[in-house]
Amino acid sequence: MMRLGVLASGSGSNLQAILDACAQKAIPAEVAVVVCNVAGAKALQRAESAGVPAVLLAHGQFPTRDAYDAELVALLRRHQVDLVCLAGFMRLITPVLLSAFQNKVLNIHPSLLPAYPGLHAARKALQAGARVSGCTVHIVDEGTDTGPIVVQAAVPVLDGDTEETLAARILAQEHRCYPRAIALFAQGRVELDGRRVRLRAPQGDPARTLSSPELFD
Ligand code: GRF
């Protein structure tokens, strides 16, 4: 059973989707620990309600990002985490974390990357007049929202959308995509071909052929 470390800063609705998928055994994984950098964040309550260890690691007490990430790595190791899932974790992470969990840190972003990296992705899609946006689960590299793409889902941008209505439509798809991406890792199906993710066929399939990541409709 793959052990997940979920890092969150806010409402934690993606965390909830992951907790639910694990509880329903929809994915062969369990949340070993939830780490939050913001006191009082709803994500902490969600972890506690699910009976999962929840740790507040406030960044104010660390002199540098590296020092924070070193403590984070120690904490994740203590909980024997295999895969780190950033779920609305509003902090830039450093090579200290990335080198400890090589190609084992995932992030979810509310756009079809590589469009609209960074903050306010829904606002940027509206401002650009895009007709389609969506969400992306990707492996984290040293850039901001630049790593290899694992799963994406597209949603329409509708006439009359506001930043809030578009973000909500995207968020609903995030809740499907994140558990799906984690399942692919937990099943050992993810392989990197340069910067591209290839998916092995499900275990038991003798072909174990490579295929491209899925784009849900
Ligand atoms: C999501 O939109 C995610 O894509 C972004 O931050 C938001 C987190 O929402 N990285 P939640 O805390 O999971 O509800």
Side-chain angles (χ1 to χ4, degrees):
M1 190 86 92
M2 181 167 258
R3 293 174 63 80
L4 310 175
V6 182
L7 277 48
S9 302
S11 117
S13 69
N14 279 289
L15 163 66
Q16 191 66 56
I18 294 167
L19 287 167
D20 292 348
C22 291
Q24 292 156 10
K25 311 230 180 293
I27 58 179
E30 62 189 313
V31 179
V33 65
V34 171
V35 185
C36 185
N37 64 321
V38 178
K42 193 166 172 197
L44 283 169
Q45 293 168 29
R46 291 184 193 269
E48 281 158 15
S49 306
V52 164
V55 180
L56 171 64
L57 195 61
H59 45 265
Q61 63 205 68
F62 294 90
T64 61
R65 284 187 193 284
D66 281 2
Y68 183 87
D69 280 7
E71 181 56 33
L72 200 49
V73 168
L75 182 59
L76 294 167
R77 291 242 186 276
R78 276 203 296 283
H79 288 272
Q80 296 173 291
V81 164
D82 305 302
L83 185 69
V84 180
C85 302
L86 308 183
F89 189 60
M90 302 306 286
R91 259 186 86 75
L92 293 174
I93 60 166
T94 73
V96 172
L97 177 65
L98 294 180
S99 59
F101 289 91
Q102 263 189 333
N103 294 324
K104 290 278 190 277
V105 181
L106 301 184
N107 182 42
I108 187 148
H109 183 76
S111 75
L112 290 176
L113 290 172
Y116 322 127
L119 294 173
H120 311 304
R123 188 188 303 173
K124 289 172 182 165
L126 285 173
Q127 284 170 348
R131 307 315 299 170
V132 175
S133 192
C135 64
T136 304
V137 180
H138 66 95
I139 297 171
V140 177
D141 65 10
E142 289 179 20
T144 300
D145 303 322
T146 52
I149 291 166
V150 185
V151 172
Q152 292 186 306
V155 307
V157 180
L158 302 179
D159 292 342
D161 259 343
T162 62
E163 193 178 337
E164 289 71 32
T165 59
L166 178 56
R169 189 174 309 117
I170 293 171
L171 191 63
Q173 293 304 312
E174 293 182 35
H175 299 158
R176 297 173 63 208
C177 285
Y178 220 158
R180 177 75 185 129
I182 292 166
L184 294 171
F185 275 83
Q187 293 160 354
R189 294 185 53 197
V190 177
E191 200 167 89
L192 274 178
D193 172 11
R195 292 185 42 78
R196 299 184 67 187
V197 167
R198 301 287 186 179
L199 300 183
R200 295 190 194 94
Q203 206 134 32
D205 179 337
R208 285 182 79 79
T209 51
L210 298 177
S211 63
S212 291
E214 293 153 58
L215 182 68
F216 291 140
D217 57 346

